[in-house]
Amino acid sequence: MKTIGKSVIATETVTELRALFEDGLEAQTFLNDLIKIYLETGRESVQSLSRTLDAGDLPAVGRHAHKLKGLSRNIGAQRVGDLCADLEVEVMDQGSNARDLYEALVSEFQQACDELNQTYLRVS
Amino acid sequence: MTAVGRPKSYCISLDDDPMIYRIIQEIIKLPTLPYTSGKKLLERASSYQPLVAFVDIHLGEDESGLGCLPELRQLWPHTPIIVMTTDGESSLIGESLSLGANDFVRKPLQAAEVRARVQARIFELQKRQDADCSRFADVVLDASRRSLEGPLGKRFLSESEWTLLSCLLATNGIVVGKQDLKGKVWGDVKVSDNAVDRKLSTVRSALKVVSKKVRLTTSYGQGVRVEEKAS
């Protein structure tokens, strides 16, 4: 379920990434690059999660969740990262809740992508 | 990047996360070469001497960053290797340190923490390198790598060759007899005169390759010594 009006990207993470540069334009270019990587690679990871869940390959689900967790935390998509962490743990057990976690993750990921596109990505 | 085009100081990152090397590069302001495969990095690692390296514990499907650590440590004895980890991997931190990592940082990377750890480890390993290195005339000797480096080039020695050269250097140019050398280098192990001569020949050749000034000379009937030739 979408949470309307609530930010899903941690602004402090974005601020820290921007703070690596003195020049605002360089900072935005850098941020744009990371966002584009997240949008592309994150989407690939979500697709891989779906595929491996359908196949019942729990170790592979864990690996893809781990990867998406790292990507998400880099860019401030904390809730996506947390759901990935939960999914990693879930598939190390029997994985009975894996599908529900995946569905929640997909929703959060989409919200994160929307916010990154609308609020943080600046294409000149 | 080829050795010709390589910057003087650079970092290497081993992580399948395509964002990480970019973030590291901007945190420490060093060109950072990205690797996503431990296998590929190990194939080329001997051609690198990075100022610092970051290794992720979890790589792709069949790889672990931990598996690369022993070999990287051997190839890069003076390079701080910093392991990157996420929550829940604390048990692997101890293992990574025992395998040769120097420090760890948690993801997501915090700029201040990364910089502080990199600076501290570089300083520490630089001190260790200074202790491992000595100089004789224009030849720098690195005990950790068993290497000689001079104006003309660089050579590596085997363990026994290194010990043999170290014994000769320790005598400050005084001639050392062959029997003495046998005892110092091989202890109680019986070695033939031919074997000793072969090792001396290798050391002699290595010195010739790296320097015009340093020579291993033989005094007939007495022994050998290392001396600095007058220019």
Side-chain angles (χ1 to χ4, degrees):
Chain A
M1 188 173 73
K2 236 183 198 177
T3 309
I4 298 175
K6 188 179 171 195
S7 173
V8 295
I9 299 294
T11 52
E12 57 268 24
T13 303
V14 176
T15 302
E16 277 193 30
L17 289 170
R18 283 201 169 118
L20 296 175
F21 296 84
E22 285 183 9
D23 183 280
L25 193 58
E26 284 181 5
Q28 187 59 52
T29 303
F30 177 68
L31 190 60
N32 285 349
D33 287 345
L34 294 185
I35 290 171
K36 286 172 191 169
I37 290 171
Y38 184 69
L39 296 175
E40 185 179 330
T41 311
R43 207 166 296 282
E44 286 169 6
S45 292
V46 168
Q47 288 166 356
S48 297
L49 276 170
S50 174
R51 192 179 63 246
T52 49
L53 256 180
D54 288 343
D57 186 351
L58 296 187
V61 172
R63 285 193 299 273
H64 292 304
H66 183 85
K67 184 166 181 179
L68 184 56
K69 177 178 75 177
L71 289 167
S72 300
R73 286 179 174 171
N74 288 338
I75 204 69
Q78 305 293 32
R79 181 72 183 129
V80 179
D82 291 345
L83 284 166
C84 289
D86 292 342
L87 184 53
E88 263 189 289
V89 170
E90 180 64 26
V91 297
M92 282 197 287
D93 199 355
Q94 292 185 3
S96 50
N97 289 331
R99 179 60 65 178
D100 289 341
L101 282 168
Y102 168 75
E103 300 295 343
L105 193 160
V106 169
S107 173
E108 285 290 336
F109 175 73
Q110 191 54 54
Q111 289 182 64
C113 291
D114 290 345
E115 186 169 332
L116 286 168
N117 266 316
Q118 287 157 21
T119 308
Y120 295 104
L121 189 65
R122 298 270 183 270
V123 181
S124 55
Chain B
M1 190 182 275
T2 64
V4 171
R6 198 172 295 151
K8 197 176 168 188
S9 295
Y10 56 93
C11 168
I12 285 181
S13 157
L14 175 59
D15 197 324
D16 63 344
D17 179 336
M19 290 185 187
I20 283 295
Y21 86 90
R22 289 172 167 87
I23 294 172
I24 290 170
Q25 186 161 271
E26 296 311 330
I27 289 176
I28 63 176
K29 300 300 182 195
L30 269 186
T32 300
L33 305 181
Y35 275 86
T36 57
S37 158
K39 190 172 166 220
K40 284 207 163 64
L41 173 57
L42 289 176
E43 283 169 9
R44 296 169 203 166
S46 60
S47 71
Y48 293 124
Q49 283 300 328
L51 188 63
V52 61
F54 288 82
V55 173
D56 189 36
I57 286 181
H58 291 293
L59 294 171
E61 192 172 327
D62 298 321
E63 289 199 278
S64 162
L66 292 186
C68 301
L69 289 174
E71 197 169 336
L72 292 178
R73 173 47 62 220
Q74 197 163 13
L75 290 169
W76 304 337
H78 300 119
T79 297
I81 299 176
I82 298 179
V83 163
M84 298 181 284
T85 178
T86 57
D87 296 334
E89 292 174 348
S90 300
S91 60
L92 295 173
I93 292 171
E95 191 179 344
S96 62
L97 294 174
S98 72
L99 288 173
N102 300 102
D103 209 335
F104 70 94
V105 285
R106 289 195 193 274
K107 290 179 172 182
L109 302 179
Q110 303 294 317
E113 182 190 2
V114 169
R115 284 186 200 119
R117 288 185 189 271
V118 165
Q119 282 164 14
R121 298 291 81 79
I122 286 177
F123 178 72
E124 189 179 270
L125 284 174
Q126 189 61 51
K127 276 182 71 175
R128 201 183 297 173
Q129 183 175 14
D130 291 345
D132 283 343
C133 284
S134 57
R135 180 182 275 273
F136 184 87
D138 61 356
V139 177
V140 175
L141 304 116
D142 186 336
S144 63
R145 293 184 192 153
R146 296 198 301 268
S147 69
L148 327 170
E149 190 167 6
L152 303 180
K154 187 173 185 174
R155 278 292 181 271
F156 294 88
L157 299 178
S158 69
E159 199 171 328
S160 55
E161 289 154 7
W162 181 264
T163 309
L164 193 150
L165 177 60
S166 301
C167 290
L168 292 170
L169 290 170
T171 61
N172 275 327
I174 296 173
V175 172
V176 182
K178 215 177 271 189
Q179 292 309 315
D180 266 345
L181 271 180
K182 281 185 187 180
K184 285 181 163 70
V185 177
W186 287 279
D188 293 332
V189 175
K190 279 192 168 41
V191 288
S192 65
D193 283 358
N194 277 347
V196 176
D197 286 341
R198 278 198 298 275
K199 292 294 181 189
L200 286 169
S201 176
T202 303
V203 172
R204 183 177 284 117
S205 299
L207 287 169
K208 261 192 195 164
V209 164
V210 307
S211 168
K212 285 183 184 173
K213 284 189 181 177
V214 181
R215 285 291 177 265
L216 194 151
T217 57
T218 303
S219 296
Y220 182 71
Q222 293 181 37
V224 292
R225 64 182 177 137
V226 173
E227 60 177 350
E228 181 181 355
K229 280 172 62 174
S231 48

